[in-house]
């Protein structure tokens, strides 16, 4: 059986009725987390650009551009809303042969479900399906070493989720997959060197294409056969040959959404354990010296795995970030901020902080080294060890293997609600915040997911 046919068969197999309660609850947590990230970023430049592009298209029976009452085509709504979810680098993560941010699928699923006036249970089912497909593909084959970006897999996950929401038969789901895959390739250059505004848009664009493929298949458009296995197909050109094991719910297999990680800090996931270790060292220095003696630091050695170093600790630009997008993907910058401030927020990456002489001076003292054991344990552990040596010879050491938000150290529902409150308090009123939280927890009881979107307030998004 061709892989596209197998994925289409799985899309028909997965139903809300068979989802375990913990999976349903985890979907709600990811929806709340995504809305927190989106409203925390909604006035950022790439988000404003994406909204302007979306509002050029008017579709009264379409999907809502969050923060407005404008309704546009589902694919353009997914692009605008997906850019907002991704911008702060604060939404969830999955680490495997290829890393991913699977909650990027949520704006696409919600846009399609809203436009079709579907039940919350159908939305939940589509989100679980999208997580399964994207994460299983990430397990199967790495893309970045071959020059392709992880969002490439997002075209498949959103296409299948869209096709399922549209209630397409198996044959048309296959065509949706083939249409999405034949145009899916996204170059890894998005995340190399100085990082541009496009980083926030990369998956949103993949989702836009996946939705388009689903709707095109509904209208009867066919896609090239053997898209994965063909002579010039995806495996030969992009991924290399791979196979997939049983997916969630089949023969007792668990669901991938349970293996993904929620971020406690707004930065690239491979830096989460590093900043947590830096916080610990800062507390120890404060306890011993009564102050964080930054000027007394002689050297900082950050030990990490090879994947983390490749992504956020190798390029020269990471030691002199000029953009927010580069800074939140900079291991030395994130460690320097954590040691200096004892906390990290979206404002840690403001233009002022990028040029802060204290941070720049501290970054010059940072050396990143590979620890073979950390590389070998990845992705089961995301280990980082930091050694800070002072001018007087005193050395402080901390190691974190699993940062907060990892499945082994999950954030509580209360912590997740606090994250939502923190990110939205300056943009959404208290009553509206409470209403959104309550509506998300009741997602599986909503007869029309429009109820959730209607709970999102209109605001000044310029």
């Amino acid at each position: 059986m061709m892989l596209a046919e197998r994925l289409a068969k799985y899309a028909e197999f997965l139903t809300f009725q068979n989802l375990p309660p913990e999976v349903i609850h985890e979907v709600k947590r990811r929806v709340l987390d995504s809305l927190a990230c989106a409203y925390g970023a909604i006035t950022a430049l790439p988000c404003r650009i994406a909204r302007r592009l979306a509002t050029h298209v008017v579709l009264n029976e379409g999907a809502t551009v969050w923060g407005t009452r404008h309704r546009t085509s589902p694919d353009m709504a997914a692009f605008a809303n997906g850019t907002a979810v991704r911008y702060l680098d604060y939404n969830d993560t999955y680490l495997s042969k290829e890393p991913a941010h699977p909650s990027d699928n949520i704006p696409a699923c919600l846009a399609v479900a809203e436009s079709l006036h579907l039940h919350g249970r159908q939305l939940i089912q589509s989100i679980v399906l999208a997580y399964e497909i994207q994460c299983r593909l990430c397990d199967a084959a790495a893309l970045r070493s071959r020059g392709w970006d992880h969002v490439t897999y997002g075209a498949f996950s959103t296409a299948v989720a869209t096709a399922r929401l549209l209630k397409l038969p198996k044959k048309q789901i296959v065509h949706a997959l083939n249409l999405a895959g034949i145009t899916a390739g996204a170059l890894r250059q998005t995340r190399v060197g100085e990082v541009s505004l496009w980083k926030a848009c990369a998956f949103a664009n993949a989702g836009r294409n996946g939705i388009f493929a689903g709707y095109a298949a509904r209208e009867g458009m066919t896609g090239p056969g053997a898209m994965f296995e063909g002579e010039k197909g995806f495996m030969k050109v992009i991924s290399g040959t791979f196979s997939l094991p049983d997916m969630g719910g089949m023969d007792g297999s668990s669901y991938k959404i349970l293996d993904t990680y929620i971020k406690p800090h707004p930065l690239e996931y491979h830096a989460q354990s590093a900043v947590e270790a830096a916080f610990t060292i800062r507390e120890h220095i404060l306890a011993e010296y009564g102050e964080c003696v930054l000027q007394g630091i002689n050297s900082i050695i950050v030990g990490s795995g090879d994947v983390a170093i490749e992504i956020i600790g190798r390029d020269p630009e990471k030691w002199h970030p000029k953009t927010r997008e580069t800074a939140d993907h900079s291991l030395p910058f994130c460690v320097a901020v954590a040691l200096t401030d004892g906390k990290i927020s979206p404002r840690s990456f403001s233009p002022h902080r990028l040029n802060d002489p204290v941070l720049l001076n501290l970054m010059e003292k940072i050396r990143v080294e590979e620890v073979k054991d950390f590389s070998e344990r990845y992705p089961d552990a995301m280990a980082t060890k930091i050694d800070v040596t002072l001018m007087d010879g005193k050395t402080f050491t901390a190691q974190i293997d699993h940062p907060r938000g990892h499945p082994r150290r999950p954030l509580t529902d209360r912590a997740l609600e606090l994250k939502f409150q923190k990110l939205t308090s300056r943009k959404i009123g208290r009553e509206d915040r409470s209403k959104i939280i309550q509506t998300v927890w009741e997602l599986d009881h909503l007869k029309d997911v429009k109820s959730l979107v209607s709970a999102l307030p209109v605001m000044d998004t310029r």
Side-chain angles (χ1 to χ4, degrees):
M1 183 184 297
M2 293 290 188
L3 182 55
E5 293 177 341
R6 186 179 165 203
L7 293 175
K9 184 178 180 180
Y10 177 72
E12 291 186 326
F13 161 84
L14 191 150
T15 63
F16 175 86
Q17 289 72 22
N18 292 328
L19 294 178
E22 64 270 20
V23 171
I24 295 170
H25 186 67
E26 203 60 44
V27 170
K28 297 175 185 179
R29 283 162 51 86
R30 303 317 166 100
V31 171
L32 183 62
D33 190 57
S34 297
L35 292 173
C37 294
Y39 271 83
I42 203 161
T43 57
L45 179 57
C47 305
R48 298 201 308 270
I49 293 171
R51 275 196 304 279
R52 288 201 298 269
L53 291 171
T55 53
H56 290 164
V57 178
V58 179
L59 186 62
N60 291 333
E61 292 303 314
T64 303
V65 178
W66 298 347
T68 77
R69 285 290 176 257
H70 182 90
R71 303 191 76 179
T72 186
S73 61
D75 59 330
M76 290 308 298
F79 181 72
N81 301 335
T83 296
V85 168
R86 187 74 199 99
Y87 175 73
L88 291 179
D89 214 316
Y90 215 171
N91 61 322
D92 71 2
T93 295
Y94 180 69
L95 300 180
S96 189
K97 290 180 180 178
E98 186 65 30
H101 302 279
S103 58
D104 287 336
N105 289 282
I106 291 175
C109 293
L110 183 50
V112 175
E114 179 197 357
S115 68
L116 297 172
H117 297 280
L118 298 182
H119 197 288
R121 294 182 178 183
Q122 292 169 281
L123 172 62
I124 290 172
Q125 174 185 300
S126 71
I127 292 171
V128 174
L129 176 60
Y131 268 70
E132 277 297 306
I133 290 176
Q134 185 182 12
C135 293
R136 298 288 177 180
L137 289 171
C138 288
D139 287 345
L143 301 180
R144 67 183 183 282
S145 60
R146 303 169 71 96
W148 302 100
D149 196 28
H150 71 264
V151 306
T152 296
Y153 285 143
F156 298 114
S157 55
T158 53
V160 176
T162 298
R164 193 70 177 91
L165 288 167
L166 291 171
K167 300 180 180 179
L168 301 187
K170 178 182 172 183
K171 183 177 181 180
Q172 285 182 303
I173 297 176
V174 170
H175 283 303
L177 269 164
N178 290 341
L179 288 166
I182 213 69
T183 59
L187 293 176
R188 180 71 185 177
Q189 189 62 29
T190 293
R191 293 163 219 286
V192 176
E194 197 71 57
V195 182
S196 71
L197 297 180
W198 182 251
K199 186 199 81 172
C201 309
F203 190 103
N205 188 59
R208 181 175 69 91
N209 291 334
I211 291 173
F212 182 84
Y215 276 88
R218 185 181 69 168
E219 296 303 317
M221 184 67 70
T222 62
M227 187 278 304
F228 281 105
E229 301 89 349
E231 178 186 354
K232 302 294 183 181
F234 188 85
M235 292 185 182
K236 291 288 179 62
V237 177
I238 293 180
S239 67
T241 303
F242 65 84
S243 60
L244 294 183
D246 285 335
M247 290 180 278
M250 304 180 72
D251 294 331
S253 297
S254 64
Y255 291 87
K256 278 295 178 180
I257 194 170
L258 300 175
D259 297 331
T260 57
Y261 332 130
I262 295 176
K263 290 185 178 182
H265 309 294
L267 42 91
E268 208 278 340
Y269 192 81
H270 294 85
Q272 300 286 327
S273 53
V275 300
E276 195 170 328
F279 291 152
T280 299
I281 289 175
R282 187 177 192 275
E283 290 173 2
H284 290 165
I285 293 175
L286 282 168
E288 186 158 335
Y289 289 84
E291 61 178 329
C292 192
V293 287
L294 298 177
Q295 69 282 359
I297 292 177
N298 181 57
S299 67
I300 303 168
I301 299 176
V302 180
S304 192
D306 55 352
V307 174
I309 293 172
E310 175 193 347
I311 296 173
I312 60 174
R314 182 189 64 184
D315 300 332
E317 292 87 349
K318 300 300 190 285
W319 269 260
H320 298 89
K322 304 298 183 185
T323 66
R324 186 208 190 282
E325 291 77 12
T326 307
D328 67 26
H329 271 56
S330 165
L331 186 54
F333 185 87
C334 293
V335 169
V337 171
L339 285 171
T340 303
D341 298 350
K343 62 179 180 179
I344 290 184
S345 73
R347 283 177 285 179
S348 300
F349 305 97
S350 67
H352 168 71
R353 297 314 302 280
L354 297 185
N355 296 292
D356 187 334
V358 173
L359 294 180
L360 295 175
N361 179 64
L362 201 56
M363 289 167 64
E364 292 297 327
K365 300 179 180 181
I366 295 176
R367 186 168 78 251
V368 177
E369 298 179 348
E370 181 185 356
V371 178
K372 291 293 185 182
D373 177 61
F374 294 173
S375 299
E376 292 169 359
R377 292 165 59 198
Y378 179 90
D380 293 330
M382 184 57 256
T384 305
K385 178 184 178 184
I386 297 181
D387 296 297
V388 175
T389 301
L390 304 184
M391 295 294 186
D392 62 10
K394 179 75 172 181
T395 296
F396 295 86
T397 299
Q399 178 176 325
I400 300 294
D401 289 354
H402 302 96
R404 288 179 62 240
H406 189 278
R408 296 192 188 184
R409 295 179 62 200
L411 294 181
T412 64
D413 289 353
R414 179 56 181 160
L416 191 55
E417 289 183 358
L418 289 174
K419 178 180 175 180
F420 178 85
Q421 299 280 9
K422 183 177 179 181
L423 280 171
T424 62
S425 61
R426 297 189 177 191
K427 297 169 182 175
I428 301 177
R430 180 179 299 177
E431 290 186 7
D432 285 332
R433 295 199 304 270
S434 297
K435 183 179 180 181
I436 292 169
I437 292 172
Q438 179 181 355
T439 305
V440 170
W441 292 137
E442 296 172 353
L443 184 58
D444 52 334
H445 298 292
L446 299 183
K447 294 182 179 179
D448 186 338
V449 296
K450 178 66 177 173
S451 301
L452 172 60
V453 180
S454 296
L456 305 178
V458 175
M459 53 178 291
D460 185 355
T461 57
R462 290 175 294 179

